[in-house]
Amino acid sequence: MRLRAGHDEVAARPGPSRWGASRWGASRWGASRWGYGAAAVLAGALPAPAFPAPSLWWLAYAALVPWLLLLATAPTGRRAALYGWLGGTGFMLAVHHWLLPNLHVFILVLAALLGLLWAPWGWLVRWAFAQARRSRGRALLACAVVPSGWLLIEVVRSWEGLGGPWGLLGASQWQVAPALRVAALGGVWLVTLLVVAVNTAVALLVVVPPVRTAAVVALVVCGVAMGSAWMWVPPPETVGRVRVGVVQPGVIGGPDGPERRFARGEELTRTLAGRDVDLVVWGESSVGADLAARPDLSARLAALSREVGAEVLVNVDARRSDLPGIFKSSVLVGPRGPTGDRYDKMRLVPFGEYVPARAVLGWATSVGRAAEEDRRRGTRPVVMAVGEGAELRIGPLVCFESAFPDMSRRLVRDGAGLLVAQSATSTFQESWAPAQHASLAALRAAETGRPMVHATLTGVSAAYGPDGGRVGAPLGTDRSAAAVYELPLAAATTPYTRYGDWPVWAALAVLAGTAVAAVFRRVRRAPAPGSPVRPARTARGSAARPGR
C-alpha cells in the first residue's frame, strides 16, 4: 500500500516544505524555475557595490540576505546547491566585471567554474536554516556554520591558480575603522566572518520567526565583537616617521611608450628635490628594459637618486640578461646605481601574466588580451634596506600580490617596517579596478600594523598608516603627478601577524564539529538491527502495517 502524507504529517515535518516554500515559494512568487535561477544570479551579485568604486560598505551587512532566503527556502537540497552555484556565478561576474574587455566571453566560463564553489554552501545554508527552526541553540549555530562555509570558499578561491583573493567580502570594509581593528586581530578573514554572520542573523529574523530572539542575540554578539576590537585593541604606537615620494606618470601609450614613460617619471621625480624624502617609489612596469643591459638607464636613475637625495624603487618589466624569460622585478637604485636589492614577482596574474595550463587554455589569447608569453616567477620574498644607515626596511609587493594577506604578513615577520605595492591598472582605467586595488593596501596595513604605500603608473596611488587609515590625498586616475606622503612607523606586532590565519582554522573546526555532531545524531536515531519498526501513522490515525 502506498502511503500519502496528510496535512498533520506535513505540519510536523521539519524543513522548507512548511516554513519555506509555502511562504516564499512559487505559489507566492509565481515564478518558473528559470525565474528562480535568474533571481539567484542577481542575488549573488548584490554585494558588488559594497566594494570600491561605489564603496557602499554598509550594504555588505544585508546584501546576502536575499540569496540566503532563496537558499533556505529551496524545496530540495539539490535545488539549494543549484541556487548556490548560480549565485556564486553572479557574485564572481559582478566583482570581476571590469575584466570583460580583456577576457570577453571567457569571463563567463571562469565565473561559472568558480561559482561551483558555492554549490555545497547552498546546500549547507538550507540545512542550517532547517536546523535553526528546531531550537534557539541551533539558530545560533547557524550563525556560525553559514559564515564558516563562506569563509572556506574565500580561502579556496584565494589560491593564485583560481584567480587570487580579489573580492573577499571582508575587504569591502577597508574604510571602516572598527573593522580595520578587527583585521588586526584576525585579518580580512575575521572581518568576513562577522559580515556573513550579520547577514545570516538578519535572514533568520525574516524566515524563521520562532528563533528571532536567538537571531537578535547573534546580531548583538557581532556588534559587541566589533566594538570590543575597537576599544580593546590599541592603535599602533608611532615610533618614527618616513617621507615617501610616489611618482605617477599617467597614461602613456604608443610604440615608444616605455621610453616616454621613463622620461615622464624622471621629470616628476625631479620635482621631489628639496622635499626631504626618504624613498621614491615608481609604479609597476615603470622601466621597460633590463637595467643590466641598459647602463644608460641605470645612470639616469642614479643621477635622480643623487638629485633627490633618496633611493628610488623602480619596477622593471623586461627580459633579463642573466636569466631566461621575462620577469617583473622591484629594483632599488641608489646614488651609485642599482644597490643589488631586487625582488622578482612571485605570484602572477592568471591570463594577464601567464595562461594556466596553456596547452589546454591557450585559446584564451585569441578571444581576449591574455598573455602571449608567460612571465617567470621569483622564488622568495625580499626585505630591502633603505638609506645609508639602513634605518628603514621595506617589503615590496608587485601588482595583485597586495591582495594576499600572507605575503605582507611574511614580509613584516621578516623585518619590513614599510610595505610598498607597485601596480599598474591602466588597462582598466575607467573601471572600478583601480580604486579596488588601492583599497587593499588599507587592509594589509591594518593587518600587519605597518604603513603601506600603493604606487601606480596611472592611479589610484594612495598611502595608509599602520592602523589602515588613509594618509594624505590619493592620486586619481586623471592625474600625472608626484606626491609626498609622511607616514608614521610602528614596531608593535599585531595579533594577526603573530598568529596568522586562525579564523580559517576556527571555521574548519566549526564545520568539522557540526558534521560530527550531525552524524552522531543520525546514528543515535537509527533503529538497532532486528528491532521492530514503528508503524507509520496516516492522517486518519490508523496504522499502516507492513505487507498491507
Side-chain angles (χ1 to χ4, degrees):
M1 176 179 178
R2 196 176 204 180
L3 298 180
R4 299 182 63 184
H7 176 76
D8 292 341
E9 284 185 304
V10 173
R13 186 184 303 148
S17 57
R18 180 189 177 198
W19 54 268
S22 63
R23 184 173 181 182
W24 300 95
S27 61
R28 178 162 180 168
W29 286 358
S32 64
R33 291 185 179 182
W34 287 101
Y36 277 107
V41 173
L42 292 174
L46 282 179
F51 297 91
S55 287
L56 306 179
W57 61 267
W58 45 267
L59 181 63
Y61 293 93
L64 294 180
V65 171
W67 190 7
L68 289 170
L69 296 180
L70 190 63
L71 296 171
T73 58
T76 65
R78 181 178 298 179
R79 189 72 62 81
L82 173 63
Y83 296 160
W85 172 39
L86 293 174
T89 301
F91 179 77
M92 296 306 293
L93 281 174
V95 298
H96 294 89
H97 71 275
W98 43 270
L99 285 171
L100 187 59
N102 278 59
L103 297 181
H104 298 293
V105 69
F106 196 63
I107 192 175
L108 299 175
V109 178
L110 290 176
L113 290 174
L114 291 172
L116 285 171
L117 293 172
W118 277 270
W121 184 73
W123 180 93
L124 179 68
V125 170
R126 180 181 182 274
W127 177 86
F129 274 65
Q131 296 298 311
R133 180 176 175 271
R134 298 173 181 267
S135 68
R136 293 185 178 90
R138 295 189 183 185
L140 290 174
L141 180 63
C143 292
V145 169
V146 172
S148 296
W150 179 282
L151 183 61
L152 290 192
I153 295 170
E154 291 200 341
V155 171
V156 171
R157 74 180 182 87
S158 292
W159 179 49
E160 175 200 345
L162 293 180
W166 195 283
L168 303 182
L169 200 57
S172 65
Q173 306 303 295
W174 67 277
Q175 58 185 335
V176 182
L180 291 173
R181 208 69 63 84
V182 171
L185 283 175
V188 68
W189 313 118
L190 185 57
V191 182
T192 288
L193 283 176
L194 285 174
V195 171
V196 182
V198 170
N199 278 273
T200 306
V202 172
L204 284 171
L205 283 172
V206 174
V207 80
V208 193
V211 296
R212 282 177 176 166
T213 301
V216 171
V217 169
L219 287 173
V220 171
V221 168
C222 291
V224 169
M226 189 167 289
S228 297
W230 171 253
M231 293 176 60
W232 295 338
V233 178
E237 183 178 351
T238 300
V239 296
R241 307 191 80 81
V242 61
R243 290 174 61 83
V244 180
V246 173
V247 174
Q248 180 177 296
V251 178
I252 299 175
D256 59 344
E259 292 292 339
R260 292 168 53 219
R261 185 183 304 119
F262 190 97
R264 179 58 176 161
E266 281 183 301
E267 180 184 355
L268 292 172
T269 302
R270 290 193 181 98
T271 66
L272 301 176
R275 300 184 65 178
D276 195 27
V277 295
D278 300 294
L279 175 69
V280 178
V281 183
W282 288 18
E284 180 188 10
S285 304
S286 49
V287 179
D290 183 44
L291 293 179
R294 291 286 303 273
D296 58 317
L297 297 182
S298 294
R300 289 162 67 180
L301 289 170
L304 280 178
S305 176
R306 292 192 296 270
E307 185 174 349
V308 175
E311 291 172 331
V312 183
L313 183 70
V314 299
N315 189 270
V316 179
D317 183 2
R319 198 175 302 276
R320 288 182 61 164
S321 57
D322 58 337
L323 291 174
I326 301 174
F327 288 79
K328 284 193 175 181
S329 307
S330 301
V331 178
L332 191 63
V333 181
R336 291 181 291 273
T339 64
D341 286 328
R342 179 189 188 112
Y343 166 67
D344 297 322
K345 185 178 182 182
M346 297 170 61
R347 295 184 182 172
L348 304 178
V349 180
F351 298 99
E353 294 171 337
Y354 79 104
V355 175
R358 184 177 285 272
V360 178
L361 301 176
W363 59 269
T365 59
S366 63
V367 297
R369 286 178 281 183
E372 295 291 341
E373 178 182 351
D374 292 349
R375 298 304 199 266
R376 299 300 181 93
R377 300 174 186 272
T379 57
R380 61 185 180 87
V382 176
V383 175
M384 302 178 180
V386 175
E388 293 183 3
E391 298 177 357
L392 177 65
R393 293 169 62 82
I394 65 171
L397 298 166
V398 183
C399 193
F400 96 138
E401 288 183 332
S402 65
F404 293 86
D406 65 300
M407 295 196 72
S408 54
R409 175 174 175 261
R410 168 69 183 275
L411 288 169
V412 171
R413 289 174 67 89
D414 287 347
L418 170 69
L419 298 172
V420 178
Q422 296 174 295
S423 176
T425 52
S426 55
T427 304
F428 315 105
Q429 195 73 353
E430 304 301 325
S431 72
W432 295 359
Q436 284 188 30
H437 201 176
S439 72
L440 296 175
L443 271 298
R444 303 293 85 85
E447 288 168 344
T448 59
R450 297 295 182 269
M452 185 164 185
V453 172
H454 181 82
T456 73
L457 287 181
T458 60
V460 175
S461 297
Y464 302 89
D467 60 351
R470 179 177 281 167
V471 174
L475 295 176
T477 55
D478 59 341
R479 300 285 305 280
S480 174
V484 176
Y485 298 99
E486 185 169 336
L487 298 163
L489 296 173
T493 301
T494 64
Y496 176 72
T497 301
R498 181 178 290 113
Y499 302 114
D501 301 330
W502 63 266
V504 176
W505 297 106
L508 278 170
V510 167
L511 293 175
T514 302
V516 170
V519 171
F520 181 71
R521 285 196 300 268
R522 183 180 290 268
V523 170
R524 287 189 60 185
R525 289 198 302 265
S531 61
V533 179
R534 175 178 290 182
R537 293 279 179 179
T538 66
R540 297 182 179 181
S542 59
R545 298 175 183 174
R548 289 191 62 182

